[in-house]
Amino acid sequence: MEIQVIENNTYISLKHKDGSFPNCFTFIFARSGYGKTLFMESLIEEFYRAGYTVLILSDVKDEFELGYAMFPPKKPYHLNRLKNDGKPIETKPVKLYHPFTLNIPSSKIPEINFYGFSLKDLRRPEWSMLTESAWESDTIRLLLNASSSISPNQGLFDFLHFIQDNIVGRKEGQSYKPDPNAFHLRTTGGTAKSLQDVASYFMTFKKHPFLVSDNSDLKKNLDWKKILEDQKHYHVFGTRWIDDEKLKEFTILVLLNQILRNRKFTTKPCLIIIPEIRFLVPIRPKGYKEFLAKGITSNLSIMRNVGRGGNSFATDSQVWSDVDESVRNSGTNTFYGELGGSKDIENVTKSMRYKSDRSQQLKHSDYPRSVIMQEQPEENWDLWLPGHCHAEEEYDFFEMYKGHFYEKMQSYKPLIDKIKTTIKEEENKIKEKIKKQIQKEKEEIEKKKAEKEARKQESTQKIEEKVEKVKEKEEQTKEVLMKLAWEIHQDRNLEPSERSYRAIGRKLDLNHITVKKYVKEFQNKLDNENNTPVGLEPIESFGGDE
Ligand SMILES: Nc1ncnc2c1ncn2[C@@H]1O[C@H](COP(=O)(O)OP(=O)(O)OP(=O)(O)O)[C@@H](O)[C@H]1O
Ligand SMILES: [Mg+2]
């Protein structure tokens, strides 16, 4: 970056003396209201003129601050300065972007591209920030798996249910009641606990449903190939209707990742602007910011050379000490205006080894809004102004837009209604699926119960059969004894004393009463079998037997 002096004013040319236009990272640190944004606006114009695609990824003031580039300047200080510098008034065509949200007012508003991120396009850094989980954790593995497995027509409900059904699993035989407030997920106890945590991170998307299916029209509104080749417009991304700080910053991370991923397929060099970088890469990030900062810094470290022509980057911050050191150190051009606090002045002075006159400049500049450049600290520079309007404090973007482009104002109620219907349909589909699932589970439980009952009956039957067999065996033994007793008793070859019940009892190890019973029973059996009494002589009684 070269600095050229035009009369009393200072003009920064981005071209090197040899005519080359190297990519650079520009940082500007100064207290609030010092002119940082005006300076960035002038810088953007230089890149725009050089054929860069201009992408402004955040809007800290929720005012589409950089969108004012579409209006001509009005303030006397601005017009006079342009006149003095011989710089023409020059508005820029601007495209505005905003994540889709149910908070969009239904009244007429400026023309805005409401977009969504495909669930299939999110990667490790984005999932990690959203769920505040380490890059290598199980949670991230689950989310990445679900993201790549769902089909292009599946949205957030299906995505979360995929995690529930295929990955988290449930305790067998135990079913949890689906929670209608938590995307109808079954989120109680046991293995489902992590699912409950995961679901809680997605609650905010009920109000801001911009995580969408891959084939959603909202995703098509973010046609990166078209945007990245379009260096005619400024592309300004805002989040004014997203009332959740984390979600606002999440969109910046996703936008940056998607731009760099898509830069491979496009040919124009890009200028990426992220105002107030200290919010994204604070010096000591905590909670989700830890993962956000990691995502942003890893992108910043590679972005200069990604894609044909590479990329340049510019940012500002009110406080130098609040910005992550490695990010601060990645600047190729760093400017300091008056700083806000003595601690910050002390830190910069120490870090840059500035002498007291330079340090004084950080406290009270020699003339209003002048800056020093880290790389050439000897001089003070009074930077030039953009050819278009700047967002002055008392301005209202919508009012000004109405004044200039009334015919473009429109109501997005039809879009809101359409998306609401899509979500309702998706929810109903899931409810239907759950109903069927529960019915199936019920049937399965019934089936298992019936099977158990059948098995029980079978076992009982088997035991009975066995007992029967044992009894049969006993019967057979008894029958043998009965037969034997009867035969002995009938055997005329024996002495009567040997055929007595007592004698038989001694032989067969039975009581004489039992022997008598057996002989009688056997005789009865024979009688029954032949149906006619066998003509045996009546058994004489033997002494002592009766
Ligand atoms: N050269 C100038 N002459 C007169 N007024 C100026 C000049 N530069 C800036 N201003 C005034 O200062 C205001 C703030 O400028 P700007 O918005 O660029 O500050 P900033 O450093 O970005 O502040 P913040 O940190 O709050 O975003 C401008 O709206 C303008 O009214
Ligand atoms: Mg500003």
Side-chain angles (χ1 to χ4, degrees):
M1 196 179 274
E2 301 293 314
I3 297 190
Q4 300 167 6
V5 177
I6 306 171
E7 294 183 11
N8 295 326
N9 304 309
T10 306
Y11 172 72
I12 295 183
S13 161
L14 299 176
K15 270 193 192 140
H16 271 191
K17 281 200 180 99
D18 63 5
S20 65
F21 198 100
N23 281 306
C24 53
F25 277 24
T26 306
F27 289 78
I28 172 151
F29 298 102
R31 62 175 170 77
S32 173
Y34 197 78
K36 297 184 295 294
T37 302
L38 273 158
F39 169 58
M40 283 233 281
E41 285 165 345
S42 302
L43 201 72
I44 294 167
E45 284 187 321
E46 294 301 306
F47 282 95
Y48 181 77
R49 198 169 300 133
Y52 274 66
T53 299
V54 175
L55 304 150
I56 295 124
L57 302 196
S58 74
D59 181 34
V60 275
K61 294 193 174 147
D62 283 340
E63 248 281 284
F64 287 114
E65 195 179 8
L66 272 294
Y68 282 85
M70 65 176 89
F71 311 127
K74 281 195 304 196
K75 285 265 170 188
Y77 85 87
H78 198 156
L79 294 166
N80 291 339
R81 176 68 192 272
L82 288 177
K83 205 166 156 198
N84 279 350
D85 289 352
K87 202 176 169 192
I89 290 175
E90 202 179 86
T91 61
K92 306 289 185 302
V94 177
K95 277 195 172 157
L96 302 175
Y97 303 81
H98 193 288
F100 179 81
T101 162
L102 299 179
N103 276 357
I104 303 168
S106 49
S107 56
K108 280 191 169 185
I109 56 171
E111 185 182 34
I112 296 168
N113 268 311
F114 287 102
Y115 66 83
F117 295 129
S118 161
L119 283 156
K120 292 184 78 61
D121 280 345
L122 298 189
R123 300 288 191 273
R124 199 178 290 276
E126 292 106 301
W127 290 127
S128 169
M129 180 204 166
L130 199 61
T131 61
E132 298 167 32
S133 316
W135 284 29
E136 305 301 332
S137 67
D138 279 355
T139 309
I140 299 307
R141 193 176 45 75
L142 297 181
L143 291 162
L144 283 171
N145 187 4
S147 163
S148 63
S149 303
I150 56 167
S151 66
N153 58 1
Q154 291 186 303
L156 190 56
F157 276 95
D158 286 318
F159 174 79
L160 292 174
H161 278 265
F162 180 92
I163 296 177
Q164 173 187 268
D165 298 344
N166 298 307
I167 306 171
V168 174
R170 289 192 300 278
K171 273 186 193 167
E172 217 183 306
Q174 214 174 327
S175 58
Y176 302 114
K177 239 180 145 189
D179 180 355
N181 294 321
F183 305 94
H184 299 280
L185 293 165
R186 304 173 188 230
T187 56
T188 323
T191 49
K193 194 158 184 296
S194 61
L195 178 64
Q196 197 164 17
D197 288 344
V198 169
S200 71
Y201 292 117
F202 288 88
M203 287 305 190
T204 181
F205 291 105
K206 291 176 113 192
K207 192 151 105 188
H208 309 297
F210 63 85
L211 282 192
V212 294
S213 67
D214 204 49
N215 63 9
S216 156
D217 285 342
L218 290 177
K219 181 208 161 165
K220 288 178 197 137
N221 283 350
L222 213 51
D223 181 348
W224 284 117
K225 278 172 204 144
K226 217 164 116 197
I227 297 170
L228 296 178
E229 294 286 353
D230 173 10
Q231 81 275 55
K232 199 178 125 215
H233 294 88
Y234 279 13
H235 302 275
V236 177
F237 295 84
T239 47
R240 66 180 279 149
W241 293 296
I242 306 283
D243 49 15
D244 172 343
E245 211 53 46
K246 178 179 166 188
L247 211 53
K248 281 172 185 277
E249 291 169 359
F250 172 73
T251 65
I252 303 172
L253 177 67
V254 182
L255 290 170
L256 182 60
N257 279 344
Q258 296 204 345
I259 288 168
L260 295 184
R261 233 178 282 137
N262 284 284
R263 270 297 276 121
K264 290 190 217 69
F265 313 111
T266 61
T267 57
K268 305 279 186 301
C270 289
L271 170 68
I272 294 169
I273 306 280
I274 303 182
E276 275 302 350
I277 196 76
R278 75 195 154 112
F279 294 138
L280 307 182
V281 288
I283 188 109
R284 269 178 290 277
K286 287 199 185 78
Y288 76 85
K289 296 244 182 187
E290 200 185 312
F291 306 102
L292 168 68
K294 189 175 173 194
I296 299 276
T297 42
S298 67
N299 273 325
L300 291 183
S301 65
I302 57 149
M303 72 182 279
R304 196 134 34 127
N305 299 317
V306 175
R308 189 128 35 113
N311 309 290
S312 282
F313 174 68
T315 186
D316 66 356
S317 179
Q318 291 178 359
V319 188
W320 179 85
S321 312
D322 284 354
V323 180
D324 175 83
E325 198 178 346
S326 70
V327 172
R328 278 188 326 227
N329 291 341
S330 67
T332 54
N333 316 297
T334 305
F335 296 89
Y336 301 97
E338 277 182 15
L339 296 173
S342 53
K343 192 83 198 143
D344 213 28
I345 295 169
E346 197 185 312
N347 288 342
V348 175
T349 305
K350 242 194 222 159
S351 168
M352 298 307 144
R353 299 198 178 132
Y354 284 155
K355 296 211 173 80
S356 65
D357 61 326
R358 290 291 84 195
S359 184
Q360 192 57 32
Q361 163 72 27
L362 299 175
K363 206 169 178 180
H364 289 296
S365 51
D366 290 353
Y367 48 96
R369 298 186 173 83
S370 64
V371 295
I372 52 174
M373 196 176 168
Q374 185 173 299
E375 293 72 19
Q376 302 179 37
E378 309 77 29
E379 309 260 4
N380 289 8
W381 309 102
D382 176 17
L383 298 167
W384 73 128
L385 297 180
H388 57 72
C389 184
H390 171 71
E392 301 295 341
E393 221 168 283
E394 70 276 19
Y395 289 174
D396 178 85
F397 183 74
F398 286 11
E399 278 304 309
M400 201 174 275
Y401 190 96
K402 204 167 155 187
H404 284 88
F405 304 105
Y406 182 74
E407 70 290 353
K408 284 192 181 173
M409 299 279 286
Q410 53 189 289
S411 163
Y412 286 91
K413 189 157 185 319
L415 175 71
I416 298 170
D417 289 344
K418 193 181 136 200
I419 302 294
K420 273 187 180 164
T421 311
T422 314
I423 296 169
K424 200 83 222 149
E425 278 168 9
E426 205 188 322
E427 185 172 5
N428 286 341
K429 238 169 63 191
I430 280 291
K431 271 159 92 176
E432 201 49 44
K433 196 178 136 193
I434 291 170
K435 228 164 104 185
K436 277 188 196 152
Q437 238 174 24
I438 290 177
Q439 185 57 32
K440 211 174 130 195
E441 272 165 20
K442 249 191 194 159
E443 281 167 15
E444 234 150 62
I445 291 171
E446 289 298 317
K447 203 174 133 195
K448 272 188 189 152
K449 232 167 129 184
E451 278 170 7
K452 204 173 159 190
E453 195 53 41
R455 277 200 303 275
K456 202 174 137 193
Q457 265 182 11
E458 205 181 324
S459 299
T460 319
Q461 207 176 331
K462 269 187 190 155
I463 289 172
E464 275 169 8
E465 274 169 19
K466 267 187 197 160
V467 170
E468 208 51 43
K469 268 186 193 159
V470 170
K471 275 188 183 163
E472 241 171 54
K473 234 181 191 168
E474 274 174 9
E475 285 294 312
Q476 277 171 9
T477 319
K478 187 182 160 192
E479 208 158 296
V480 171
L481 286 174
M482 272 163 64
K483 192 175 175 219
L484 207 57
W486 183 83
E487 277 170 1
I488 299 170
H489 190 59
Q490 296 295 332
D491 197 343
R492 299 292 161 98
N493 298 321
L494 299 174
E495 288 298 318
S497 62
E498 280 174 303
R499 291 158 55 205
S500 76
Y501 295 140
R502 279 183 201 280
I504 298 169
R506 276 194 297 276
K507 237 176 232 155
L508 299 182
D509 206 14
L510 291 171
N511 179 291
H512 68 277
I513 298 166
T514 312
V515 175
K516 187 179 174 187
K517 200 174 113 209
Y518 278 12
V519 170
K520 267 194 177 157
E521 270 182 41
F522 196 75
Q523 185 59 54
N524 284 343
K525 193 179 163 231
L526 287 178
D527 292 349
N528 287 339
E529 273 171 13
N530 298 331
N531 221 4
T532 48
V534 180
L536 284 171
E537 291 166 36
I539 301 160
E540 319 95 78
S541 86
F542 306 105
D545 270 350
E546 298 307 313

